[in-house]
Amino acid sequence: MSTATHTQDNPDLQQWIGRQETLHDEIVAAPVKAMTATMDYPDIDAAAVPGTPLPYLWHWLYFLPVYRQSILSLDGHPVKGGFLPPVPLPRRMWAGSQFEFHSPVRVGDKVSRTSTIVDVSEKSGRTGRLVFVKVKHEVRCNGATAPAITEFHDIVYRDLAQPGDVPPPPQAAPREATWRREIHGDPVLLFRYSALTFNGHRIHYDRSYVTEVEGYPGLIVHGPLISTLLMDLLRRQMPGADVATFKFKAVRPTFDLNPFTVQGVPSADGKSVHLWAADHEGWLTMDASVTLR
């Protein structure tokens, strides 16, 4: 049993609610080509022709966190403060996201992203204190007033693993999938995705750090990478699908020690798709859903 509270008892963190920043970028070709190769598509140059719509979630290749080396902390993230609140807990994970896709983002677009911290809340559960931060991102193209993408990003902070901690019981993934693809989340794939997103978080590439400091059994496959692979499964099975919304929730960490699968089932009416990821033992690691126009 866990209890949630807003941070009235922690005014320092609550002061971050409403904080906002706007970043600017351009959808240049090089990241698109590199991601196309990483996703193992053959026609790399064609993917980056100006005017080509970005595949869903590939906007994460832009607005990168270009922090100076001198302000990085032990885990590879920047020292706490700045835009995100300085939550006094060492582990930071991407818990999930919710998206509305209003219009395409295309190669060559000049884009802006306005980010707003909309909530900070705490829970106390079986593994101790948790702090959740929800950030709203709005991506706009070429000076438009209306966003092309609206995203809500859920971040969770937690303490390091302690002796005697009991992990939550695993949840079995659905057994009947219409689509299924096996992924080898090896260190090379994890390195390439970290490089593409300029993600310095050591849990994805530094085995001694992730096992000895954070107490995990192996390198952790990025939550955004798994969700991108889920949307890529949709792209492979339903080319040209017009996605209205997408949401995902990280259920259980995925490690590089074994292959995992991305799977899906479209609804009978063709208006939605249930997507999920499962580890090599069949445990659910990410649950997601798509609605189509």
Side-chain angles (χ1 to χ4, degrees), residues 10-137:
N10 197 332
D12 291 336
L13 294 184
Q14 194 170 28
Q15 289 175 8
W16 260 256
I17 296 175
R19 186 162 295 206
Q20 194 170 83
E21 70 173 10
T22 299
L23 303 177
H24 300 274
D25 210 335
E26 183 175 351
I27 307 301
V28 294
V32 179
K33 291 183 179 181
M35 189 65 167
T36 300
T38 301
M39 292 287 104
D40 207 28
Y41 284 97
D43 203 346
I44 293 171
D45 290 331
V49 172
T52 303
L54 276 187
Y56 295 105
L57 305 187
W58 288 27
H59 67 284
W60 282 336
L61 305 180
Y62 302 89
F63 311 108
L64 300 185
V66 286
Y67 298 106
R68 293 168 54 207
Q69 188 73 14
S70 60
I71 67 168
L72 299 181
S73 59
L74 175 67
D75 67 357
H77 279 306
V79 292
K80 291 172 180 175
F83 175 64
L84 289 173
V87 177
L89 293 170
R91 279 178 165 180
R92 171 180 163 183
M93 302 291 287
W94 194 311
S97 289
Q98 308 87 47
F99 298 85
E100 295 177 9
F101 297 102
H102 309 290
S103 57
V105 177
R106 301 178 185 275
V107 177
D109 282 352
K110 296 184 183 303
V111 288
S112 65
R113 187 187 72 186
T114 298
S115 303
T116 307
I117 296 176
V118 296
D119 194 28
V120 184
S121 60
E122 297 184 29
K123 288 185 180 180
S124 56
R126 70 178 73 195
T127 57
R129 182 184 175 205
L130 304 172
V131 175
F132 291 87
V133 177
K134 182 179 280 288
V135 183
K136 179 182 181 181
H137 301 293

Side-chain angles (χ1 to χ4, degrees), residues 170-174 251-253 274-279 282-287:
Q171 178 181 344
V251 177
R252 180 179 174 89
H274 180 203
L275 297 167
W276 66 91
D279 66 17
W283 300 124
L284 182 69
T285 59
M286 182 172 287
D287 196 39

Side-chain angles (χ1 to χ4, degrees), residues 99-281:
F99 298 85
E100 295 177 9
F101 297 102
H102 309 290
S103 57
V105 177
R106 301 178 185 275
V107 177
D109 282 352
K110 296 184 183 303
V111 288
S112 65
R113 187 187 72 186
T114 298
S115 303
T116 307
I117 296 176
V118 296
D119 194 28
V120 184
S121 60
E122 297 184 29
K123 288 185 180 180
S124 56
R126 70 178 73 195
T127 57
R129 182 184 175 205
L130 304 172
V131 175
F132 291 87
V133 177
K134 182 179 280 288
V135 183
K136 179 182 181 181
H137 301 293
E138 294 176 300
V139 177
R140 294 177 171 84
C141 301
N142 306 314
T145 303
I149 301 170
T150 302
E151 171 186 358
F152 288 91
H153 172 194
D154 297 316
I155 307 165
V156 61
Y157 297 83
R158 64 195 314 159
D159 209 343
L160 293 175
Q162 302 298 320
D165 281 353
V166 179
Q171 178 181 344
R175 292 188 177 183
E176 299 299 326
T178 305
W179 311 328
R180 185 182 185 277
R181 184 179 180 219
E182 184 174 84
I183 306 294
H184 293 267
D186 58 44
V188 176
L189 176 62
L190 271 57
F191 165 78
R192 296 181 92 180
Y193 190 76
S194 287
L196 278 165
T197 54
F198 204 57
N199 183 351
H201 199 180
R202 292 170 68 181
I203 64 173
H204 304 304
Y205 61 86
D206 187 337
R207 193 173 304 278
S208 61
Y209 171 83
V210 75
T211 57
E212 296 170 15
V213 177
E214 298 215 8
Y216 292 106
L219 298 177
I220 297 176
V221 182
H222 314 64
L225 173 57
I226 297 173
S227 60
T228 299
L229 287 163
L230 288 173
M231 290 298 278
D232 184 66
L233 180 67
L234 175 73
R235 177 187 179 191
R236 291 170 186 270
Q237 297 294 332
M238 298 179 67
D242 189 359
V243 176
T245 69
F246 172 63
K247 62 181 179 181
F248 73 88
K249 180 181 179 181
V251 177
R252 180 179 174 89
T254 299
F255 302 104
D256 72 320
L257 306 173
N258 297 282
F260 64 95
T261 56
V262 288
Q263 304 182 48
V265 174
S267 63
D269 61 9
K271 294 182 179 179
S272 64
V273 180
H274 180 203
L275 297 167
W276 66 91
D279 66 17
H280 67 293
E281 295 181 303

